[in-house]
Amino acid sequence: MDELEKARMEINEADKGIAELFCKRMNAVRAVAEYKKKRGLPVLDAEREAAVIAKNSRLVEDEELRSYYVNYLKYTMELSRAYQHKLISGARIAYSGIPGAFASLAAAKLFPDGEHVAYPDFEAAYNAVVNGECDSVVLPIENSYAGEVGQVMDLIFFGSLYINNVMGLAVTQNLLGVPGSRLEDIKRAVSHPQALEQSAVYLRSRGIVPVSFSNTALAAKHVAELADKTTAAVAGDEAANIYGLTVLAHGINENHMNTTRFATLSRVENKRTGRPDDNFMLVFTVKNEAGALAKAMDIIGKHRYNMRGLHSRPMKELMWQYYFYLEAEGDVRNANGDEMMNELCDVCDRLKLVGSYTVK
């Protein structure tokens, strides 16, 4: 046997082993995809991939081969992501609104391979997951201009779903008219009250009368059906594309740092650990005694968790009673987090960890 034949036999033997390990790896990828589908998690975890490449590349001692091995790992991960996308493509993702609404854009960005299902309101979209009609729901929890979305926070407090992902979506409001309309023709602008408020300075400068509507995308649809060249909608670019409107003025919202944070909620909790960059959210009520809330805050601070925000909401069934929700930074899935939760139980009547997640 010459050297070439011997080398080819070694390659064949190595390829056989690689094929077996490839199947083993992809079977594990299938399990990862199922985990992510149940919890509404994105396919790409760039931080995890970078850590795996850094760790595994050190296994190759030959410096010349190491760079090739890094490329091999990157290609393998690309194949793994493609397989996960295929497996998750059947996931049904609920959102509130109609196509073209900012919630639909968030759902499409978070779940590009999912089936996006529109519901008429927050509660209907939330219950679609509770009842098993959908796998996950994407709902707004906070706007940088208008603040919290109280109805969604109430659903999170009283409901059973968990937050497993949070993403910020920049909101750009545009003035949309029917084809053939001109900016100087517009007398009225139809949109959701928050969108109108965000664009109030521009509308006043043009002498345009704001008219409230239930939803930005529905406003765009209404203007398209009305076919009145003096009436425009305040909505996003996608609404213009969907309903055949013309962008008469782009970016008319006064605050161009306007961002809405959307949360993905699912029936199953993501219990991953070891991510110091994670955030978590707690909902709770405190005992009716002096200093109870202060004691809860002291416990969280003592365990070195940095609170990003603390809010109160009225309890629907109890007059003048409130629940609280807070968002904090840090890994809560460790011994320190367990100790904090146990101590909070002593001062809280009701306490729930509604999710831990990476903020994007």
Side-chain angles (χ1 to χ4, degrees):
M1 180 184 302
D2 60 21
E3 292 182 4
L4 177 61
E5 189 65 24
K6 182 180 179 181
R8 285 175 173 171
M9 288 184 65
E10 289 178 355
I11 289 173
N12 291 339
E13 184 178 351
D15 285 345
K16 181 180 178 182
I18 290 172
E20 293 173 354
L21 292 173
F22 176 79
C23 292
K24 182 178 180 180
R25 191 184 199 282
M26 296 304 275
N27 285 333
V29 167
R30 183 187 296 117
V32 169
E34 185 63 27
Y35 182 96
K36 291 179 177 179
K37 182 177 180 179
K38 288 180 179 178
R39 291 159 179 81
L41 298 173
V43 168
L44 176 61
D45 187 341
E47 183 180 338
R48 162 70 179 168
E49 289 194 3
V52 169
I53 290 172
K55 177 184 176 181
N56 289 355
S57 63
R58 291 194 291 268
L59 299 174
V60 178
E61 296 181 357
D62 189 317
E63 292 187 5
E64 183 180 6
L65 293 179
R66 188 179 298 145
S67 63
Y68 290 95
Y69 184 63
V70 167
N71 289 335
Y72 171 78
L73 288 174
K74 289 180 178 179
Y75 180 66
T76 302
M77 289 177 175
E78 184 180 334
L79 289 177
S80 297
R81 289 199 303 272
Y83 188 40
Q84 288 185 58
H85 280 299
K86 178 179 182 296
L87 295 171
I88 296 176
S89 62
R92 289 170 58 84
I93 311 301
Y95 70 92
S96 174
I98 64 172
F102 289 109
S104 73
L105 303 183
K109 190 169 183 178
L110 285 164
F111 299 94
D113 303 298
E115 177 187 353
H116 308 131
V117 186
Y119 287 86
D121 53 54
F122 296 142
E123 186 173 8
Y126 186 96
N127 287 333
V129 178
V130 174
N131 300 331
E133 297 173 21
C134 292
D135 298 290
S136 298
V137 58
V138 175
L139 293 175
I141 58 173
E142 184 181 21
N143 178 265
S144 60
Y145 187 89
E148 67 178 20
V149 183
Q151 187 182 356
V152 173
M153 297 315 304
D154 289 345
L155 289 168
I156 292 172
F157 177 76
F158 292 101
S160 59
L161 302 184
Y162 295 93
I163 298 175
N164 288 324
N165 197 20
V166 172
M167 179 195 72
L169 182 70
V171 175
T172 301
Q173 304 290 5
N174 308 304
L175 192 68
L176 312 180
V178 297
S181 62
R182 300 176 303 167
L183 182 58
E184 53 266 32
D185 297 331
I186 303 302
K187 306 299 181 184
R188 292 169 297 278
V190 182
S191 194
H192 187 276
Q194 285 186 3
L196 294 173
E197 182 182 357
Q198 293 163 10
S199 309
V201 172
Y202 177 85
L203 297 177
R204 280 197 301 268
S205 72
R206 304 286 310 186
I208 298 173
V209 177
V211 180
S212 295
F213 216 80
S214 58
N215 180 282
T216 56
L218 283 172
K221 182 180 180 182
H222 171 73
V223 167
E225 294 171 348
L226 191 63
D228 178 2
K229 291 185 179 181
T230 66
T231 303
V234 176
D237 289 335
E238 189 65 20
N241 296 332
I242 292 174
Y243 301 108
L245 299 177
T246 300
V247 178
L248 302 176
H250 185 79
I252 66 173
N253 43 301
E254 182 182 11
N255 185 350
H256 292 284
M257 298 298 289
N258 187 12
T259 299
T260 297
R261 299 173 71 220
F262 287 89
T264 299
L265 296 103
S266 305
R267 291 183 294 274
V268 182
E269 184 180 7
N270 180 25
K271 294 186 176 181
R272 68 182 186 183
T273 59
R275 300 290 291 264
D277 62 330
D278 269 2
N279 285 237
F280 62 91
M281 185 178 290
L282 299 176
V283 293
F284 61 96
T285 59
V286 295
K287 295 181 178 180
N288 188 20
E289 57 186 44
L293 179 59
K295 291 177 183 177
M297 298 301 97
D298 287 343
I299 291 170
I300 294 169
K302 183 181 73 174
H303 288 276
R304 303 180 303 281
Y305 291 108
N306 180 40
M307 285 190 297
R308 294 186 53 172
L310 172 67
H311 306 268
S312 64
R313 291 283 300 163
M315 300 278 287
K316 293 180 179 179
E317 71 276 16
L318 296 172
M319 187 176 294
W320 312 123
Q321 297 293 315
Y322 297 84
Y323 75 84
F324 302 89
Y325 69 92
L326 69 82
E327 189 173 9
E329 298 173 343
D331 180 12
V332 74
R333 299 292 185 184
N334 53 29
N336 183 50
D338 291 341
E339 185 178 343
M340 179 193 69
M341 294 295 289
N342 288 334
E343 292 181 24
L344 285 173
C345 287
D346 293 334
V347 298
C348 295
D349 279 332
R350 180 174 177 179
L351 174 67
K352 180 183 177 183
L353 175 64
V354 294
S356 56
Y357 44 86
T358 299
V359 177
K360 297 183 178 180

